[in-house]
Amino acid sequence: MSNKMWGGRFSERPDAIMEEINVSIDVDRHLYAQDIAASKAHAAMLAAQGIITAGDAKNIGKGLDTILSEIDKGSFDFKRALEDIHMNVESRLSELIGPAAGRLHTARSRNDQVATDFRLYVRDTIDEVDAALAAFQKALVERALEHASTVMPGFTHLQTAQPVTFGHHLLAYVEMSARDRGRFADARKRLNESPLGAAALAGTSFPIDRAATAKALGFDRPMANSLDAVSDRDFVLETLSAAAITAVHLSRFAEEIVVWTSPLVGLVRLSDKFTTGSSIMPQKRNPDAAELVRAKTGRVIGALTALLIVMKGLPLAYQKDMQEDKQGAMEAFAALSLAIRAMTGMVRDLVPDEARMQAAAGEGYATATDLADWLVRTLRMPFREAHHVTGRIVALASERGIALHELPLQAMQEVEPKITADVLKVLSVESSVKSRTSYGGTAPRNVLSQAKAWAKRLEKERKWG
């Protein structure tokens, strides 16, 4: 018995294993809304061009609306024997309106159909991710405003480096997220061309209006080359690339939360809302939400790598390998969305231990650079010489087991006689952060200004959106 979707040429049914490896409905069923929207646009265009009657187009539109409602309500019967979302929809449409359903596939192929559907899906995903990242930024900005003057240790090599403010640290992730949003916006701009009407690979002899369907679906224009239209998956790769970079940013922040919440560090606390306990150790409070955000980054990067491998050896035009473009991407986008929301929740939930942060900010001789800068600024000493003098003073404090600001002035003068009592004013962590007034620096007034600017920018985006 021939297959009714692509029968005629075939007289036998596919082997059961062939059917199993070929079926995609378990994945592409998630494209149902996009598939129906594209079909409605296509039918309307066919009628406008006189390719099908207005009556058939009207019945097709009504039938597609019924199918959309059935799927939304969960009453639609997805059939694996029909392979994919396109044929499941068309088969049900035939049951609803009869032979007119068969006219819907005029001047198109499943090749341009799936390319269109997936572009619409990825575009919708980008919009959702952008909104989630904006909410993440808003949470960060709100906490940055709250902690513009809260001193904490800044690290390089996970060693105490210089004091910064907690608000300044949080705003670093606002900037990262802005770049992430920019990459998604760039990807959206490039993907926003319509493959519909490219048909199988060569276009069609029917007098279709591709510009009309592109406009109806919110695309900027139709794709200019039919071969490229059906075989391109750059839009998925580019969006996955943006997703992978975003996930890496989230993972870096998650790692910091894991470190900060450790009792050995103790800079911040998370409540019961974002921690879990141990089945055997009753005292434990594990930062599992942060750890899982860190882990989901692997899923996103893996999806990007997998699709690159799928695409790397494919000649033009469509190949069945490209059926594997969806599952990994969909799972990656879902993982990223969950990770963003989890990080947003943790940002709102975390409570910094301000006393511990301030104490830690002064550990490890974190204001040594301030001493060197004072030597340059006040004594007009070349920086390299000031660096050397400061190193000797730090070594002296270390030998005595005291903090830099606790070292007697006389001891400093034994290293450099020209040092005066004025130097003691720059050795506190508060003085250190206040002095970092260069653009982009950690001075509280800088942080407050930047946080307010971001709050205003995000509020304006919300109003425009």
Side-chain angles (χ1 to χ4, degrees):
M1 183 176 68
S2 65
N3 185 297
K4 69 177 183 179
M5 292 178 288
W6 31 265
R9 173 66 177 83
F10 294 81
S11 59
E12 296 183 59
R13 289 187 59 86
D15 187 88
I17 295 298
M18 177 59 196
E19 287 188 337
E20 186 63 27
I21 197 172
N22 194 46
V23 70
S24 64
I25 188 60
D26 295 337
V27 174
D28 60 35
R29 65 192 295 171
H30 297 294
L31 302 177
Y32 75 90
Q34 292 80 14
D35 190 73
I36 290 171
S39 289
K40 290 177 69 175
H42 185 67
M45 179 276 295
L46 291 177
Q49 294 298 106
I51 300 171
I52 65 174
T53 67
D56 281 347
K58 183 177 181 181
N59 289 333
I60 288 170
K62 287 183 177 179
L64 290 171
D65 285 339
T66 298
I67 294 169
L68 180 62
S69 177
E70 290 175 348
I71 299 176
D72 283 338
K73 293 176 181 177
S75 61
F76 187 88
D77 182 21
F78 289 100
K79 298 175 182 177
R80 288 173 61 82
L82 294 174
E83 291 187 9
D84 57 32
I85 185 62
H86 321 301
M87 298 313 301
N88 268 267
V89 169
E90 185 175 321
S91 177
R92 177 59 178 148
L93 186 62
S94 181
E95 293 173 354
L96 290 170
I97 69 171
R103 293 189 170 88
L104 175 60
H105 209 53
T106 306
R108 76 174 185 185
S109 160
R110 283 192 293 176
N111 293 355
D112 63 333
Q113 195 175 354
V114 70
T116 303
D117 293 355
F118 202 24
R119 277 179 185 264
L120 292 171
Y121 180 92
V122 173
R123 190 178 71 185
D124 290 344
T125 296
I126 289 174
D127 293 343
E128 292 166 5
V129 168
D130 182 74
L133 284 172
F136 178 52
Q137 287 180 300
K138 185 173 184 291
L140 289 164
V141 168
E142 288 172 353
R143 300 311 303 274
L145 286 168
E146 184 182 348
H147 293 284
S149 301
T150 302
V151 177
M152 70 172 290
F155 300 96
T156 61
H157 309 279
L158 271 183
Q159 307 297 309
T160 303
Q162 292 178 292
V164 297
T165 68
F166 188 44
H168 190 59
H169 197 109
L170 295 175
L171 287 180
Y173 287 100
V174 176
E175 297 291 338
M176 291 185 209
S177 297
R179 295 194 295 274
D180 293 331
R181 294 179 67 190
R183 277 182 281 269
F184 279 112
D186 288 344
R188 192 190 194 284
K189 182 177 181 180
R190 270 184 287 277
L191 75 75
N192 208 36
E193 296 183 344
S194 175
L196 193 58
L201 76 161
T204 177
S205 59
F206 289 96
I208 62 173
D209 185 350
R210 293 189 61 207
T213 51
K215 182 178 179 180
L217 294 171
F219 289 115
D220 295 330
R221 64 191 67 84
M223 296 183 73
N225 184 285
S226 59
L227 286 167
D228 181 48
V230 298
S231 63
D232 168 57
R233 292 299 182 271
D234 291 0
F235 67 96
V236 193
L237 290 169
E238 187 172 3
T239 306
L240 281 173
S241 179
I245 296 171
T246 302
V248 167
H249 289 159
L250 296 176
S251 184
R252 295 180 69 182
F253 194 9
E255 169 67 7
E256 291 190 317
I257 290 176
V258 170
V259 172
W260 291 347
T261 56
S262 166
L264 294 174
V265 179
L267 297 183
V268 303
R269 295 185 301 276
L270 287 172
S271 75
D272 295 351
K273 296 178 181 178
F274 289 94
T275 56
T276 64
S278 165
S279 63
I280 190 173
M281 295 169 285
Q283 83 283 6
K284 292 294 292 301
R285 182 189 291 275
N286 300 322
D288 282 2
E291 292 173 7
L292 288 166
V293 167
R294 194 173 57 186
K296 287 186 182 297
T297 302
R299 185 184 294 268
V300 181
I301 295 171
L304 171 61
T305 303
L307 186 55
L308 284 167
I309 293 170
V310 167
M311 296 300 297
K312 73 173 183 63
L314 300 187
L316 298 181
Y318 180 83
Q319 315 293 329
K320 195 67 170 181
D321 312 51
M322 293 161 68
Q323 184 168 292
E324 292 297 310
D325 62 349
K326 298 172 200 65
Q327 183 170 0
M330 289 177 174
E331 291 176 353
F333 297 145
L336 178 64
S337 177
L338 181 57
I340 296 170
R341 286 182 283 125
M343 288 302 300
T344 303
M346 281 185 278
V347 167
R348 297 189 185 282
D349 184 69
L350 60 83
V351 177
D353 185 334
E354 296 184 29
R356 173 60 189 142
M357 279 187 167
Q358 183 162 359
E363 294 173 358
Y365 306 101
T367 58
T369 304
D370 297 276
L371 173 56
D373 289 346
W374 184 90
L375 293 171
V376 171
R377 194 168 50 245
T378 305
L379 303 185
R380 304 299 180 183
M381 189 178 291
F383 182 80
R384 285 303 170 200
E385 182 181 346
H387 187 285
H388 181 72
V389 169
T390 300
R392 290 173 61 193
I393 292 174
V394 168
L396 188 59
S398 180
E399 289 171 7
R400 298 188 183 189
I402 58 177
L404 193 58
H405 69 275
E406 295 173 335
L407 190 67
L409 177 61
Q410 183 179 357
M412 294 187 193
Q413 289 172 333
E414 290 175 4
V415 177
E416 174 49 64
K418 295 180 183 178
I419 292 177
T420 67
D422 186 59
V423 75
L424 300 176
K425 297 178 182 178
V426 305
L427 297 182
S428 70
V429 293
E430 293 86 359
S431 296
S432 177
V433 296
K434 286 180 181 178
S435 72
R436 306 295 168 180
T437 57
S438 59
Y439 181 76
T442 191
R445 69 180 187 184
N446 285 18
V447 175
L448 199 59
S449 176
Q450 287 290 335
K452 287 180 178 178
W454 268 113
K456 184 176 181 180
R457 175 174 167 181
L458 292 169
E459 179 64 19
K460 185 180 293 185
E461 284 180 4
R462 188 184 68 80
K463 288 179 180 177
W464 285 350

